[in-house]
Amino acid sequence: MTLYDNPLPVADYPAYLALRDAMLATALPYLGLGQERQWLLRRWAGNWLGHIDRRAATARLGEQPCRLQYIGRRVDNRWHWAWDDPAGDYPPEALRDTLRLKQYGEEHGIEWLTRSGWPIDLPGQYEALRALAVMLNDAPGYGQESAPGLLHALDQLLIRGVTHTLMTVYPEAAVPHGIPRLDLVERVVNDLAHHEGMNAAGQPAIEAYLATLPPQERIPVPADIRSERRPAHINYFPDAATVFTAAQPWLADHFLPLATFDLASLDPALGDVRLHLVKPLEPYEGYIGMETTAAHTDYCGTNWLAFHLEDDGTYRFLAEEDYFLGNNGDPEAATYFAEVRADYEARKQRYRESGFFGDVDDSGLPCFGKAAEYLPFLGGGGNWVDETPPPAFSIEGDPYDYDSAVDIRYQNHRFTCIAMTAGYDWGEGGADTMILLYEPVNRIALMTFDYT
């Protein structure tokens, strides 16, 4: 295992993902209990540490004086344990908790608890570390500070590139338990159900947490729990010829094919077909289609575009090429679109050579980006509802209702939200959220876009 190499070899990118999963699995019994303690601590004292005295290992949490135990720190997206720092960086007594974690790792053969230098840039890794630091040390909670917050307290560590420090926190006064337990349970379950970092660990973490409670304090597992759903078969960066109809060869000039996936494994009612997730190059500014209203159709308008899924499995765009500005837009846009396409081609080549479709940061670590959400809940709100859908489509009910799933229809057949993803998670450029919907009776794929 060479996760400690810098830069991280491409061959070990899968091991990096496996490390995140292993961390969550180790912390699974403690994720909910640790979060409950943190909520008690926050509600009583506050969120932020201040007046940190590194040499005395003391601080204030809100107005409450407390003692600190230094667990470790993040440096250039890699983890460094406090016990691995030079002698004198911390008072020896402030290393008790981090040494307990090291001992636990030695006793259970967990390498990442006994060595520094493994990468820590994936969702879920910090959640796992915090839970283990609190629960294995029976601490009241944790504190975190970035480098600016420690400017005067950890000056020597800053010189060596500290960007984030994790500490367990021990207030001098006992933390009161004045919050009704049921309120805490509901908060913890909600956090675990909807936290992006939990990924597939959300439901098991909730079940493990509820199992520690007496029956009268347990609540039902939320029906809308965040879970990582994936089609059984995904082909990343497919060839444009397999995505776009041969009758519209110009589509490859305006869209970047990201993935082709089967729908039946997500929901058999959607049909045994393969759908395509694509990213439009436009817009450079504003919404796509905003400046080409003369080319709008019943299916494609401002911030909305649609395809028909042909019998051969390709997309036919339901407007003509003049829907796009192309070379008629801002001269700077052409330069920008060339950069977007070049980045896309580089990622596609990297994927075909190594099976990795992300990016690499300045420290040589892979940036996986947030995975696309499949069959997500599509609530109202967001600026994607500010532009009325093209005439062929209708939105039933209040499109600004955050609590109700949006009902979009074509010829009275309802669309299913198939995928949501950020365009920039697949490379340079793109909307904050690209929304792909599908109506299986008429085989219409509909896209709209949200921007922050």
Side-chain angles (χ1 to χ4, degrees):
M1 184 171 176
T2 56
L3 289 174
Y4 303 87
D5 291 346
N6 198 354
L8 187 68
V10 174
D12 281 317
Y13 290 174
Y16 184 16
L17 291 168
L19 170 66
R20 186 269 306 278
D21 294 341
M23 293 178 69
L24 282 169
T26 301
L28 186 66
Y30 311 113
L31 290 168
L33 292 170
Q35 189 73 353
E36 181 178 306
R37 292 192 180 194
Q38 190 67 13
W39 270 107
L40 275 172
L41 185 64
R42 286 179 177 177
R43 288 283 292 271
W44 172 58
N47 290 327
W48 306 109
L49 287 172
H51 304 285
I52 298 173
D53 186 332
R54 175 177 62 87
R55 292 172 178 82
T58 60
R60 283 187 177 271
L61 184 63
E63 296 300 318
Q64 298 296 326
C66 56
R67 294 175 292 109
L68 302 177
Q69 287 285 319
Y70 291 95
I71 302 300
R73 53 192 174 86
R74 173 178 178 160
V75 184
D76 294 329
N77 291 333
R78 287 180 177 271
W79 184 253
H80 191 92
W81 292 104
W83 49 258
D84 217 6
D85 279 316
D89 273 359
Y90 313 99
E93 64 272 14
L95 297 177
R96 181 197 65 220
D97 283 6
T98 189
L99 287 171
R100 282 179 179 167
L101 292 177
K102 182 181 182 184
Q103 181 181 0
Y104 184 87
E106 291 169 345
E107 292 173 351
H108 293 82
I110 304 173
E111 185 179 25
W112 50 271
L113 283 173
T114 65
R115 290 182 63 184
S116 296
W118 41 268
I120 181 166
D121 195 40
L122 292 179
Q125 290 184 282
Y126 254 107
E127 288 79 1
L129 270 182
R130 292 190 299 237
L132 290 170
V134 169
M135 298 307 299
L136 294 183
N137 289 294
D138 196 22
Y142 63 83
Q144 299 179 127
E145 289 295 333
S146 60
L150 298 170
L151 188 58
H152 301 295
L154 300 175
D155 48 347
Q156 294 302 312
L157 297 182
L158 279 169
I159 293 173
R160 294 199 294 276
V162 174
T163 58
H164 202 280
T165 298
L166 174 65
M167 298 158 276
T168 41
V169 176
Y170 293 83
E172 292 183 2
V175 179
H177 290 244
I179 304 173
R181 184 69 184 277
L182 187 58
D183 291 351
L184 283 172
V185 172
E186 290 178 345
R187 169 56 66 180
V188 170
V189 169
N190 183 70
D191 286 350
L192 294 175
H194 302 110
H195 197 294
E196 293 177 6
M198 290 298 100
N199 297 294
Q203 184 161 344
I206 292 172
E207 293 171 350
Y209 170 62
L210 294 177
T212 68
L213 308 176
Q216 67 272 19
E217 293 178 350
R218 298 174 189 173
I219 64 173
V221 176
D224 60 342
I225 185 171
R226 178 183 293 276
S227 59
E228 196 171 45
R229 301 185 64 163
R230 288 168 55 87
H233 305 286
I234 306 177
N235 178 25
Y236 294 107
F237 301 116
D239 290 330
T242 67
V243 174
F244 305 120
T245 177
Q248 295 174 323
W250 41 267
L251 285 175
D253 297 330
H254 304 285
F255 291 96
L256 303 175
L258 303 179
T260 297
F261 53 91
D262 63 298
L263 285 187
S265 63
L266 290 172
D267 184 351
L270 295 172
D272 188 16
V273 299
R274 288 174 65 74
L275 210 60
H276 312 291
L277 179 62
V278 299
K279 180 170 82 171
L281 283 171
E282 296 182 19
Y284 179 59
E285 293 180 333
Y287 290 132
I288 192 169
M290 187 170 67
E291 299 182 50
T292 56
T293 55
H296 289 186
T297 68
D298 286 349
Y299 301 90
C300 297
T302 300
N303 206 42
W304 295 83
L305 56 88
F307 303 91
H308 182 262
L309 184 63
E310 304 284 86
D311 290 340
D312 65 357
T314 61
Y315 275 169
R316 174 170 57 86
F317 189 57
L318 298 179
E320 298 301 323
E321 188 176 12
D322 54 2
Y323 171 84
F324 305 98
L325 280 172
N327 295 328
N328 298 317
D330 187 327
E332 295 181 0
T335 301
Y336 172 69
F337 293 149
E339 294 172 355
V340 172
R341 186 173 289 280
D343 181 73
Y344 169 82
E345 294 296 338
R347 287 169 183 256
K348 181 167 67 173
Q349 183 64 26
R350 185 184 300 123
Y351 173 74
R352 292 182 175 177
E353 291 175 351
S354 67
F356 171 62
F357 61 88
D359 199 2
V360 178
D361 66 18
D362 293 338
S363 62
L365 290 177
C367 304
F368 293 91
K370 180 183 174 183
E373 294 180 64
Y374 293 97
L375 296 188
F377 175 80
L378 178 61
N383 56 33
W384 67 271
V385 302
D386 291 345
E387 295 293 332
T388 303
F393 311 113
S394 63
I395 294 184
E396 308 294 329
D398 181 6
Y400 292 95
D401 184 353
Y402 285 86
D403 297 323
S404 299
V406 177
D407 186 347
I408 303 175
R409 295 181 178 246
Y410 173 65
Q411 296 181 353
N412 205 35
H413 296 290
R414 187 170 184 173
F415 279 90
T416 297
C417 187
I418 302 298
M420 295 172 61
T421 186
Y424 45 74
D425 280 338
W426 299 81
E428 181 72 26
D432 295 287
T433 308
M434 303 193 307
I435 302 168
L436 174 64
L437 306 108
Y438 182 64
E439 192 274 280
V441 176
N442 294 281
R443 296 167 62 98
I444 302 293
L446 179 64
M447 292 191 73
T448 187
F449 310 89
D450 191 75
Y451 299 85
T452 57

